[in-house]
Amino acid sequence: MGMYHSTYFAYGLHIPVDGPAWAETDRIDSELAKLKDRCPDVGHLSAGHYDDDMVFLVTKTDEVRLGSYGRANLATDEERAAWNLQLAHAVVALGYDELPDLAEPGWLCIPDLS
């Protein structure tokens, strides 16, 4: 079995979940399909350490391949404002607004090992 390393720059926020990431991302897929008119740019990313992935709600995601580099600040103020509004709608619709210490959206650097 081989290991695959990747890194992502993503605009969004980390969603702490109990249980496996895949179960939560299945639920997110189902709920986001109902929100496409209000949250057209919102999706999810699950990444992390092998079999212990974390869940992220994201709008813009770029993979940074091993041996290369990327830049995370390629959005205008207007784009970030629109993404923040969409993420806020998604957070409420998905029930994450009740989570303690939910961070504000921002640029994230997310390493992944699978």
Side-chain angles (χ1 to χ4, degrees):
M1 177 172 84
M3 299 292 217
Y4 179 74
H5 298 265
S6 56
T7 301
Y8 300 92
F9 281 131
Y11 190 85
L13 56 142
H14 172 246
I15 303 295
V17 296
D18 292 326
W22 64 264
E24 189 63 14
T25 57
D26 284 351
R27 186 182 81 82
I28 291 170
D29 281 337
S30 175
E31 293 301 315
L32 285 181
K34 302 171 192 173
L35 301 173
K36 273 302 176 194
D37 59 327
R38 293 188 80 187
C39 307
D41 299 320
V42 177
H44 64 79
L45 173 67
S46 60
H49 186 267
Y50 192 59
D51 61 351
D52 191 24
D53 280 351
M54 296 173 284
V55 176
F56 303 87
L57 274 184
V58 296
T59 56
K60 169 81 171 143
T61 304
D62 291 317
E63 183 176 1
V64 181
R65 296 252 181 225
L66 192 60
S68 65
Y69 71 95
R71 227 174 115 171
N73 60 350
L74 299 177
T76 66
D77 291 342
E78 293 80 18
E79 287 173 314
R80 283 191 306 276
W83 292 342
N84 287 344
L85 183 59
Q86 290 180 45
L87 286 164
H89 288 308
V91 162
V92 171
L94 291 163
Y96 298 139
D97 55 326
E98 300 297 322
L99 292 174
D101 303 322
L102 190 63
E104 294 293 319
W107 285 108
L108 307 170
C109 180
I110 305 164
D112 185 45
L113 174 64
S114 55

